[in-house]
Amino acid sequence: MSPAKILAVDDEADFELLLRQRFRRQIRAEEFDFRFAHHGEEALAVLAEEPDIELMLLDINMPVMDGLTLLAELRERQSDVRAIIVSAYGDMTNLRTAMNRGAFDFVTKPVDLNDLEITIRKTLEDIAKLRELDRQRAAAERARTNLSRYFSPNLVALLADRDEPLGAVRRQTVAVLFVDIVGFTRMAEHLAPEAVVTMLRQFHDYMTGQIFACGGTVEKYIGDEIFAVFGLPDASPEDAANALKCAELMIAALAEWNIERGQQGEQKLAIGIGVNYGPAVIGDVGSEHSLSFTVIGDTVNTASRMQGLTRSLGTPLVVGDTLVSAIAAAPANGAAELLGALEDQGEQALRGRTGPVRIWTRRPHGDSADAFALPD
């Protein structure tokens, strides 16, 4: 363990000798490591050369720069060094000023060296506690930053702030959205792996931004496919509307991205989006060694099948009737306009599902022509 660096700032020559004599055992044991300065300007120079000095023993009355001025300067520089004032007895006005400028404690002159050692150790303990709190804060911030790379902001806050953030496995009504790039597999065959990864990262950035903007959560990435959920951790009357808004924003974002791709001589992309609303089972799956949060059920499977249906219907968006009904029953801001942009396609058979499902598709309009699904 490194010795605690202590800077003694005092213009009295015998103060240095007094400290070296009194703390010679601690110095030999490399417990304390003293530095000395005779006024505030010298102290600033020492601190500049050795910014890891933790503690300062500071006289008030000194030439060139006094202790109170030094404290003000250190406060202005946001220095972390802690100061113990060593001042003449009865100088309460200066002591109050010193404490108001950030001094941690004080001892009076003539100095009781035992009291000084106790005060030094108490201050060093306080510094150690603050350093540990800073370390924990930095670790927590680092963990939160790492979580934000994989989870949406609402889940990051939840995971960081609760001991059991997601609770027990439960049944909950949510809106689910699947989106992917039409023809991605065929495109990937003709691109270098690095180009595929770059395109996927850009696609994920564009689409995930819209999910987060609408209060959604990315449940998982599956290659070029993104599975998003609206209504986590708690359901809201606006979940269905938020999912539909997100789909519209995705189509608009793709149109902007395609302009950029065209300017760079890259192939324009098309996407397929399936959106559904209904009950699902939410919770952790896996073993005690590795858990994964997931959302499963017929609502999810149906949304995935709707996404696949975008190819045969030649549309970027297929919406389940349950989601349309939920929006109509509890219209949110702007939701009525979104419903007006949909066309009823009646009941459609979905692969892997026994009964047909009533669906809606998006009416074509100009700013999103590039988002229309193409035959895969």
Side-chain angles (χ1 to χ4, degrees):
M1 185 176 177
S2 301
K5 285 190 175 182
I6 304 171
L7 172 61
V9 188
D10 197 308
D11 61 329
E12 294 182 13
D14 60 348
F15 189 60
E16 178 176 343
L17 297 175
L18 186 66
L19 292 179
R20 289 189 184 279
Q21 178 65 24
R22 171 60 178 77
F23 295 108
R24 63 186 182 281
R25 181 176 57 82
Q26 290 86 347
I27 294 171
R28 283 199 302 267
E30 296 186 347
E31 187 178 2
F32 295 165
D33 187 8
F34 283 97
R35 302 288 187 274
F36 297 93
H38 301 98
H39 52 73
E41 286 192 357
E42 277 189 11
L44 288 175
V46 174
L47 291 172
E49 290 181 4
E50 300 184 71
D52 59 336
I53 290 175
E54 301 173 310
L55 177 60
M56 183 167 58
L57 306 180
L58 180 61
D59 190 16
I60 289 180
N61 296 314
M62 296 180 294
V64 185
M65 179 186 289
D66 61 59
L68 296 179
T69 304
L70 175 59
L71 284 175
E73 182 66 25
L74 292 173
R75 191 170 188 176
E76 180 71 21
R77 298 184 184 190
Q78 297 182 332
S79 172
D80 292 330
V81 67
R82 285 295 183 101
I84 297 174
I85 298 300
V86 182
S87 178
Y89 179 78
D91 194 6
M92 295 307 297
T93 300
N94 282 337
L95 285 177
R96 284 185 60 84
T97 302
M99 301 302 281
N100 288 336
R101 293 186 182 183
F104 178 76
D105 207 337
F106 67 91
V107 294
T108 58
K109 289 183 176 181
V111 178
D112 182 331
L113 293 174
N114 289 329
D115 180 51
L116 177 61
E117 181 176 1
I118 292 171
T119 305
I120 288 174
R121 292 189 181 280
K122 181 179 69 172
T123 307
L124 290 173
E125 287 176 5
D126 184 76
I127 292 170
K129 290 176 183 177
L130 287 174
R131 188 188 299 122
E132 176 61 19
L133 286 175
D134 287 340
R135 188 196 66 77
Q136 291 177 5
R137 263 194 298 271
E141 187 59 35
R142 185 167 59 251
R144 189 180 285 260
T145 299
N146 288 335
L147 283 172
S148 68
R149 296 174 182 172
Y150 299 94
F151 299 99
S152 53
N154 55 342
L155 272 190
V156 170
L158 197 67
L159 291 167
D161 296 339
R162 298 187 192 176
D163 293 331
E164 295 183 5
L166 302 174
V169 174
R170 64 194 184 277
R171 183 182 177 91
Q172 185 171 311
T173 299
V174 294
V176 295
L177 180 152
F178 284 86
V179 59
D180 72 350
I181 300 173
V182 177
F184 174 77
T185 302
R186 187 172 59 246
M187 292 172 59
E189 291 178 0
H190 305 288
L191 293 174
E194 295 81 4
V196 173
V197 171
T198 298
M199 182 175 67
L200 277 181
R201 284 179 175 170
Q202 291 175 324
F203 174 67
H204 289 161
D205 284 343
Y206 274 102
M207 300 299 116
T208 300
Q210 316 316 315
I211 293 168
F212 292 171
C214 295
T217 296
V218 174
E219 205 276 354
K220 61 172 63 76
Y221 297 103
I222 312 164
D224 65 311
E225 182 179 75
I226 304 174
F227 171 23
V229 183
F230 298 80
L232 290 180
D234 301 311
S236 161
E238 297 188 355
D239 294 334
N242 287 338
L244 189 55
K245 288 177 184 176
C246 180
E248 286 290 335
L249 289 176
M250 285 177 167
I251 292 171
L254 179 68
E256 293 181 7
W257 187 27
N258 273 334
I259 292 174
E260 295 178 13
R261 290 180 63 83
Q263 292 171 345
Q264 296 168 4
E266 296 175 330
Q267 179 182 348
K268 293 185 179 182
L269 303 177
I271 59 175
I273 307 171
V275 190
N276 198 25
Y277 184 76
V281 175
I282 299 170
D284 294 327
V285 296
S287 69
E288 61 178 326
H289 303 292
S290 178
L291 288 174
S292 174
F293 182 72
T294 191
V295 181
I296 57 176
D298 180 64
T299 298
V300 177
N301 297 337
T302 300
S304 179
R305 298 291 185 263
M306 288 175 179
Q307 179 201 48
L309 197 60
T310 58
R311 274 66 164 170
S312 59
L313 295 179
T315 177
L317 175 62
V318 173
V319 180
D321 185 64
T322 53
L323 186 132
V324 172
S325 299
I327 295 175
N333 292 335
E337 294 180 11
L338 296 177
L339 291 182
L342 299 178
E343 289 182 322
D344 187 354
Q345 300 293 340
E347 293 189 339
Q348 298 279 336
L350 298 179
R351 181 172 57 85
R353 205 173 190 281
T354 304
V357 176
R358 185 182 178 188
I359 65 164
W360 299 68
T361 59
R362 186 177 188 272
R363 288 194 179 93
H365 44 93
D367 66 344
S368 60
D370 291 330
F372 271 65
L374 306 172
D376 198 355

